[in-house]
Coordinates of all heavy atoms in Angstrom, one line a residue:
Chain B
M92 N 201.9 234.7 -20.8 CA 202.5 233.7 -21.7 C 203.8 234.3 -22.4 O 204.8 233.5 -22.4 CB 201.5 233.1 -22.7 CG 201.9 232.0 -23.5 SD 202.3 230.6 -22.4 CE 200.6 229.9 -22.2
L93 N 203.6 235.4 -23.0 CA 204.8 236.0 -23.7 C 206.0 236.3 -22.7 O 207.2 236.1 -23.0 CB 204.4 237.3 -24.4 CG 203.5 237.2 -25.6 CD1 202.9 238.5 -26.1 CD2 204.2 236.4 -26.8
R94 N 205.6 236.7 -21.5 CA 206.6 236.9 -20.5 C 207.3 235.6 -20.1 O 208.5 235.6 -19.9 CB 206.0 237.5 -19.1 CG 205.7 239.0 -19.3 CD 204.9 239.5 -18.1 NE 205.7 239.3 -16.9 CZ 206.3 240.3 -16.2 NH1 206.3 241.6 -16.6 NH2 206.9 240.1 -15.1
D95 N 206.5 234.5 -20.0 CA 207.1 233.2 -19.7 C 208.0 232.9 -20.8 O 209.2 232.3 -20.6 CB 206.0 232.2 -19.5 CG 205.3 232.3 -18.2 OD1 205.8 232.9 -17.3 OD2 204.2 231.7 -18.1
L96 N 207.6 233.0 -22.0 CA 208.5 232.7 -23.2 C 209.7 233.4 -23.2 O 210.8 233.0 -23.5 CB 207.7 232.8 -24.5 CG 206.6 231.8 -24.8 CD1 205.8 232.1 -26.0 CD2 207.1 230.4 -24.9
R97 N 209.7 234.7 -22.9 CA 210.9 235.5 -22.8 C 211.8 235.0 -21.7 O 213.0 235.0 -21.9 CB 210.6 237.0 -22.6 CG 209.7 237.7 -23.7 CD 210.4 238.1 -24.8 NE 211.4 239.0 -24.5 CZ 212.1 239.7 -25.6 NH1 211.9 239.4 -26.8 NH2 213.0 240.6 -25.2
R98 N 211.2 234.7 -20.6 CA 212.0 234.1 -19.5 C 212.8 233.0 -19.9 O 213.8 232.6 -19.5 CB 211.1 233.9 -18.3 CG 211.4 234.8 -17.1 CD 210.8 234.2 -15.9 NE 209.3 234.1 -15.9 CZ 208.4 235.1 -15.6 NH1 208.9 236.2 -15.2 NH2 207.1 234.9 -15.7
L99 N 212.1 232.1 -20.7 CA 212.7 230.9 -21.1 C 213.7 231.2 -22.3 O 214.1 230.2 -22.8 CB 211.6 229.9 -21.6 CG 210.7 229.3 -20.5 CD1 209.5 228.6 -21.1 CD2 211.5 228.4 -19.5
H100 N 213.9 232.4 -22.7 CA 214.7 232.8 -23.7 C 214.3 232.2 -25.1 O 215.0 231.9 -25.9 CB 216.3 232.3 -23.5 CG 216.7 232.9 -22.3 ND1 217.0 234.2 -22.1 CD2 217.0 232.4 -21.0 CE1 217.5 234.5 -20.9 NE2 217.5 233.4 -20.2
E101 N 213.0 232.1 -25.3 CA 212.5 231.7 -26.6 C 212.3 232.9 -27.4 O 212.0 234.1 -26.9 CB 211.1 231.0 -26.4 CG 211.2 229.7 -25.6 CD 212.2 228.7 -26.2 OE1 212.2 228.5 -27.4 OE2 213.0 228.1 -25.5
P102 N 212.5 232.8 -28.7 CA 212.3 233.9 -29.6 C 210.8 234.3 -29.8 O 210.1 233.7 -30.4 CB 212.9 233.6 -30.9 CG 213.1 232.0 -30.8 CD 212.8 231.5 -29.4
A103 N 210.5 235.3 -29.0 CA 209.0 235.7 -29.1 C 209.1 237.3 -28.9 O 210.0 237.9 -28.5 CB 208.2 235.2 -28.0
V104 N 208.0 238.0 -29.4 CA 208.0 239.4 -29.2 C 207.8 239.7 -27.7 O 207.4 239.0 -27.0 CB 206.7 240.0 -30.0 CG1 206.9 239.9 -31.4 CG2 205.4 239.4 -29.5
E105 N 208.3 240.9 -27.4 CA 208.3 241.4 -26.0 C 207.1 242.0 -25.6 O 206.6 243.0 -26.2 CB 209.5 242.4 -25.9 CG 209.8 242.7 -24.4 CD 210.8 243.8 -24.5 OE1 211.7 243.9 -25.3 OE2 210.8 244.7 -23.5
P106 N 206.4 241.4 -24.6 CA 205.1 242.0 -24.1 C 205.4 243.3 -23.3 O 206.5 243.5 -22.7 CB 204.6 241.0 -23.1 CG 205.7 240.3 -22.6 CD 206.8 240.3 -23.7
F107 N 204.6 244.4 -23.6 CA 204.8 245.7 -23.1 C 203.8 246.0 -22.0 O 204.2 246.5 -20.9 CB 204.8 246.7 -24.2 CG 205.3 248.1 -23.8 CD1 206.7 248.4 -23.8 CD2 204.4 249.1 -23.3 CE1 207.1 249.6 -23.5 CE2 204.9 250.3 -22.9 CZ 206.3 250.6 -23.0
G108 N 202.6 245.6 -22.1 CA 201.6 245.8 -21.1 C 200.2 245.5 -21.5 O 199.9 245.1 -22.7
V109 N 199.3 245.6 -20.5 CA 197.9 245.5 -20.7 C 197.2 246.7 -20.2 O 197.5 247.2 -19.1 CB 197.4 244.2 -20.0 CG1 195.9 244.1 -20.1 CG2 198.0 242.9 -20.5
V110 N 196.3 247.2 -21.1 CA 195.5 248.3 -20.6 C 194.1 247.9 -20.5 O 193.5 247.4 -21.4 CB 195.5 249.5 -21.5 CG1 194.7 250.6 -21.1 CG2 197.0 250.0 -21.6

Side-chain angles (χ1 to χ4, degrees):
Chain B
M92 186 61 78
L93 288 172
R94 280 172 61 107
D95 285 344
L96 289 174
R97 299 281 299 188
R98 246 196 297 275
L99 292 167
H100 301 291
E101 295 305 314
V104 290
E105 187 185 331
F107 192 84
V109 172
V110 176

